[in-house]
Each structure stands twice: as structure tokens, then as C-alpha cells.
Amino acid sequence: MSAVEVVGLHKQFVRRQGRRRTRVSALEGVSLDIARGECVAILGQNGSGKSTLVRVLSTLLLHDGGSVRVFGHDVARDPRAVRRVVNRVSVEAAFFKRLSATENLAYAARFYGQAPGETRRRIPEILDAVGFPARRARAPMEDLSRGMQQKVALARALLTSPTLLLLDEPTTGLDPRSKLEVQEFIRALRSTHDTTTLLCTHDMAEAEALADRVGILDGGRLLALDVTPALRRRYEAATLEEAFLAATGRTLDDDEDDEEAA
Amino acid sequence: MHVVSGAVRGQAIALMGVVERNAYLVKRYGFWELAFFVWTVANTLTIVFIARGIEATGGRLDVDRQAASLLIGAVIWSYLGIVFEILTETVAWERWEGTIEYTFMAPLSRPIHLIGMGAFGVLYGLLRTAALFAVIALSFGLAFPQADFAAALLLLAVASISFVGVGMVTAVLPLISPEKGAQLGFIAQGLLLVVSGVYYPVDVMPGWMQAIATISPATYALHGIRAAVLDGAGVAAVWGDLWPLLVLGAVAIPAGLAVFAAGERYAKRHGKLKRNG
């Protein structure tokens, strides 16, 4: 059984322009398979549909057509079963800013059925594993650097032992050192846990370093999904960046329209 | 059997998590909680002073009884405000902080999520309004020698089931309208109380408003609590207010959950279940 099985996925949003309403496609017939334990990176510009894909897999968005299954569970028909095995880290380390890392992690873990006795033991262990200093564990999140907040976001995801980890631009906006630390942790996680990873990014180097296969998403269409050398061969490119340019006609820095402007 | 008990335990822990999170927030925003309490005291004082004002301008009334009646109205208003705020504002707050996506993709069931928020709202609301009642009663030297506080508390507890049900309906509004949804919760609170005789008997209102009052849980809560506190009516004597509250509560919770589920489906279909609208 595949960890993730997406077949012909369609999602449109309604966009208002004055009195007119138009439908904009965020995902058009996306199909992909991710094997258990595999790490797949999806490259795409802002607005290419990456976040929409992550949000469908997270059960936060209902799709219009196609089917999406996570470890055999349909995301629309059986969302509770999907939620038990999925967690995510997104570009914004979203927390209650006045609460401490420990408080944010404690209540989040309860939502996954972890009792206080369990979290009292596990939270310090996991914070230590992601390189978060214990002395800051009771400080409000708003007093922490962006890099530290992102480490707590990683800890929050790991605390629930997800078998599918969705990483939506987890290192965007981090300083180089924090970025390397987060990437190193993701790599270590794959070697120690039975975790399947979908990494959405517009960092070519990150995709190449972390993923087994790389997909190119453009305008809601998955143009390619393969190992990096095969992508380079297919587009007769020396680098992944050149392959992306050849596939889409754009660089990753170009923005498409906001995919979810409703 | 083992799987079922594990699932029940998991949901019980999740419910505890909702209460725990709100307790952390109250603790971390302690100064603001104090500031809002002072504001509520000031607001309630302005209402209770109306009784003395009428006497001072030549009106004839039993000032202490009228002041106590107004105090009960103001306390229920404040209590309802806290319950609605916890339910509605927490969803709006989660949108603002961005945590809403993590909460809604967690495996806690939505009824448990909402009931947890309602439970915290009721517990916290009881503490806050008990303190408010005590502060104002002491300020005015009001005494309640005949009061049956146990009957009043029972009425408030049963009414809270309906209040939480209505709060679930208002809680979905920030999902549908990120900009104005939370404010609609306050409008619902005002509408509910204006038809329920918050500071006046229901029979002074026009007929159409009295008809609406019959389906408002606040009507029975206010009438019953006034009878218990001012006249010492016991549980048997307030049964006429208690049974409609039980019926309304049995309807309000399933209705609230159904409306929230429909709103959540709408938000998921239209991409509104995310931070920043």
C-alpha cells in the first residue's frame, strides 16, 4: 500500500473581481504516489498549488474531483483516520505566542490523546532532540527567534509520531544556520523513524539534498516527478534549477497568482 | 472493546487539552483578565445604579429589590458574554495566531472540541460572575436572606447547556466571515437577552417579542434565578423554568453541532479554514 495515493486531483477556488465571480484552478488533475518511508519534494513557485496539495492531505480542504488516500484512508470520507497519522510543519510556526513552548506542545499533544504523564517525559526529550535549549522551554513563544520557533514546530509534529510528515516550506525565512539545523534534523528523522515525507519548497538545494524524488508543480499541474538525475536528463539540464526553468518557462522566484484567493 | 475504550480515553484526554489550553491563556493574559473584570464591574455598577437614580428623581420603588433584580440581569449578561466569548473568540483567536489549522487537523472530534470549549467557558464564567455578583452586592450592601443559591446555580447550570449550544452556532461565524464573524457573536448575545427580560419583565415587551422569548433559554434562566435569589424559590418552585431549559438544552447542543459542522464543511470547501482568512 502506498503512503500517499493521489489520483486526478482537482481543486478550484472562486475569485471575486468586483461583482464578477470566476473560478480559478489551484490543482488540475494532479496524480502522484509516495511509497512508505519515501521523501518526495514538490518544487513550485508561490501560488503553484503546493500549499493546496498539503492542505488537502491535511484534511483542511475538500477537493472537487479525483481521489486522495493516505495509508489507504480517503481524506474526505475518513478524515479522522487520516488525522491520526499526519502532521505538518509549515512556513509559519503558528503558536499561541504568549504561551511557552512547553504549554503549546502540551495542549497540542492532548489533542492526539497523550496524557500529562506522557508529555511531561516526552516534551523535554523531543525539544532536546531538535536542539531547543531547555532553559527557554518556559519562555513565551513571542520571545523566541524565528529559528527557535521553527524547532518547536518540528517538535510539535514529532510529538505525535506522524507516519506522514507534511513539510510546507519549513525553512523559508530561516537564517542559514537554523536552516541547516532543521534540514539536518529532517534527514536524521528519516533515518530513525518510519516517516514518509512530502516536502513542498522552492529551495532547489533543499529538495535535492533531502528528497528521493522531486516533482515540479506549475499552475496546479504536476509536470514531472522523478529522481533528480532523470529530471535533468529529461529537460537536458545541467542543474535542477535549469530543469525547472525548462519545464515551466519561469524561475522559482516568479510568483503566480495566489492559489487560494477566494 | 479495547479499541473503543482507547478511543474514548483519547477523546477524554483531548477534551482535557482544550480546557488546559484555555486555562494557560487565562494565566498568561492575567492582567487583561483583571482589566476586563474591572470593566465588567464598572458596567454592572452603571446598571444597578439605575434603581437608586429612579428613587432620587422622585420615582417610587423598592430600591434594594430593584437593584438586586438589575444585578441578576447584568450578571447573566456578563456570564453569557464569557461563554460566547470563549466559544467564538477562541476560533477567531486561533485564526489570528494561525493555530487553527493545527487544531482542525488534529484527531480530536469536533463535538469534543466544542464541548471542551463550552465546559471551560461555563467553569470560567461561573467563577467570574460569582466574583462580579459578590463585588456589586457588597458595594450596594445588598443582602439576600431568603435566597436559595443552590436552586439558582442549578438553573444556571442547566441554562448553560443551551447557552453552549447557541455559542457553537456563533463559533462557526469567524470561519465563514474572518473579518466580522466574531462580532456577530456579540450581536447574538444582545438579541438573546433583549427578548429575555434582562432588565425588565418579559410582559412589558410587544407580543411578537414575548413570542420569541418563549424559545430563549435566557428567559427561563433570568425568571427562575430571580425567583430563587429574591424570593427563595426552591428547585420544586422553579420547575416551571427548569423543564423548558432541559428541553431547550436537549435541542440546542445537537443543533449547534450540526450548524458548526455545516459551517466547517463550507469553510473547507472554500478554502477558509486557514489563518488570515
Side-chain angles (χ1 to χ4, degrees):
Chain A
M1 183 201 305
S2 299
V4 176
E5 192 182 351
V6 179
V7 181
L9 177 62
H10 283 269
K11 181 65 196 174
Q12 290 188 325
F13 293 102
V14 175
R15 181 173 295 174
R16 285 192 187 139
Q17 287 176 319
R19 287 188 176 180
R20 267 186 53 228
R21 286 177 167 210
T22 51
R23 297 188 77 81
V24 178
S25 282
L27 293 171
E28 285 188 59
V30 169
S31 297
L32 65 97
D33 244 53
I34 305 178
R36 188 171 192 134
E38 191 182 18
C39 177
V40 166
I42 301 291
L43 285 172
Q45 299 152 314
N46 291 333
S48 61
K50 300 189 303 290
S51 294
T52 302
L53 178 61
V54 166
R55 288 158 55 69
V56 169
L57 287 165
S58 315
T59 75
L60 293 168
L61 196 59
L62 290 171
H63 51 285
D64 300 325
S67 75
V68 182
R69 301 181 84 82
V70 173
F71 292 102
H73 302 290
D74 188 288
V75 293
R77 291 199 193 95
D78 196 5
R80 288 271 299 281
V82 174
R83 289 169 190 163
R84 280 188 208 105
V85 297
V86 174
N87 214 321
R88 69 187 275 217
V89 178
S90 59
V91 61
E92 297 280 353
F95 291 102
F96 280 96
K97 306 287 186 299
R98 281 278 181 98
L99 303 192
S100 67
T102 302
E103 288 166 340
N104 271 293
L105 294 180
Y107 90 73
R110 293 296 171 264
F111 291 176
Y112 288 78
Q114 293 182 25
E118 193 178 352
T119 51
R120 264 195 295 277
R121 178 179 55 80
R122 290 198 70 206
I123 288 172
E125 282 174 7
I126 287 180
L127 284 175
D128 183 51
V130 297
F132 184 90
R135 64 191 160 76
R136 305 302 307 275
R138 300 202 178 275
M141 292 297 293
E142 63 189 359
D143 293 346
L144 303 178
S145 69
R146 172 95 172 74
M148 281 217 198
Q149 288 187 16
Q150 203 61 342
K151 285 179 181 175
V152 182
L154 271 173
R156 174 173 55 192
L158 296 178
L159 193 54
T160 66
S161 306
T163 41
L164 174 62
L165 183 59
L166 305 170
L167 302 171
D168 190 4
E169 301 185 26
T171 59
T172 300
L174 295 186
D175 62 74
R177 188 179 160 195
S178 299
K179 191 170 180 168
L180 282 174
E181 283 176 351
V182 168
Q183 288 173 352
E184 188 49 47
F185 186 76
I186 294 167
R187 203 178 282 115
L189 178 71
R190 284 197 64 209
S191 64
T192 54
H193 289 69
D194 176 27
T195 305
T196 305
T197 311
L198 177 69
L199 167 67
C200 290
T201 181
H202 48 209
D203 185 326
M204 303 273 183
E206 183 169 275
E208 205 161 358
L210 295 176
D212 300 310
R213 288 186 295 154
V214 176
I216 297 175
L217 191 65
D218 185 58
R221 290 196 173 95
L222 189 62
L223 303 179
L225 176 61
D226 216 328
V227 293
T228 314
L231 285 178
R232 286 200 296 258
R233 275 197 306 276
R234 177 172 168 180
Y235 293 104
E236 297 175 349
T239 64
L240 189 56
E241 193 162 1
E242 283 179 21
F244 185 87
L245 187 65
T248 64
R250 287 189 282 259
T251 71
L252 263 176
D253 297 329
D254 296 338
D255 278 3
E256 295 183 29
D257 286 345
D258 181 3
E259 66 202 47
E260 291 189 21
Chain B
M1 188 65 187
H2 182 69
V3 174
V4 172
S5 67
V8 170
R9 180 177 180 270
Q11 291 302 309
I13 292 171
L15 188 144
M16 194 168 76
V18 180
V19 174
E20 180 181 354
R21 178 189 64 185
N22 285 297
Y24 288 145
L25 288 170
V26 167
K27 187 181 78 178
R28 291 280 181 173
Y29 285 84
F31 173 78
W32 292 105
E33 295 297 329
L34 184 64
F36 284 126
F37 181 71
V38 170
W39 176 81
T40 314
V41 168
N43 195 37
T44 307
L45 280 172
T46 64
I47 293 158
V48 180
F49 268 123
I50 290 171
R52 288 197 176 166
I54 290 172
E55 187 192 41
T57 53
R60 298 180 67 180
L61 77 168
D62 180 342
V63 175
D64 281 354
R65 185 178 174 84
Q66 195 56 42
S69 179
L70 288 170
L71 172 59
I72 290 166
V75 162
I76 299 295
W77 183 290
S78 166
Y79 175 74
L80 199 56
I82 292 168
V83 172
F84 278 18
E85 183 188 332
I86 299 285
L87 277 153
T88 309
E89 283 285 302
T90 307
V91 172
W93 196 352
E94 285 218 62
R95 268 196 98 95
W96 182 73
E97 295 272 26
T99 54
I100 193 162
E101 298 191 359
Y102 294 89
T103 299
F104 277 72
M105 66 177 279
L108 86 161
S109 78
R110 201 61 60 227
I112 292 294
H113 178 194
L114 294 172
I115 288 168
M117 294 209 294
F120 181 83
V122 167
L123 289 173
Y124 183 61
L126 282 174
L127 287 174
R128 275 269 299 263
T129 48
L132 175 68
F133 187 89
V135 168
I136 303 291
L138 285 171
S139 303
F140 279 82
L142 297 174
F144 305 95
Q146 292 179 299
D148 187 331
F149 285 112
L153 207 59
L154 178 66
L155 279 157
L156 191 60
V158 176
S160 298
I161 300 169
S162 302
F163 294 160
V164 169
V166 178
M168 288 173 181
V169 175
T170 62
V172 82
L173 297 172
L175 283 185
I176 295 168
S177 173
E179 304 87 353
K180 301 289 181 190
Q183 285 88 328
L184 282 173
F186 300 120
I187 295 171
Q189 176 197 356
L191 290 176
L192 196 62
L193 287 167
V194 77
V195 299
S196 305
V198 61
Y199 300 125
Y200 36 81
V202 169
D203 51 24
V204 303
M205 297 189 299
W208 64 270
M209 287 177 81
Q210 290 187 40
I212 299 172
T214 59
I215 56 165
S216 166
T219 305
Y220 305 101
L222 285 159
H223 184 264
I225 289 170
R226 281 188 175 123
V229 174
L230 301 180
D231 303 322
V235 173
V238 297
W239 177 246
D241 292 306
L242 207 47
W243 75 258
L245 285 173
L246 288 166
V247 173
L248 288 168
V251 174
I253 293 285
L257 290 172
V259 170
F260 195 93
E264 186 179 343
R265 266 196 308 279
Y266 171 87
K268 283 182 176 177
R269 193 158 292 290
H270 293 85
K272 289 176 181 283
L273 192 50
K274 61 175 183 176
R275 66 183 302 162
N276 303 330

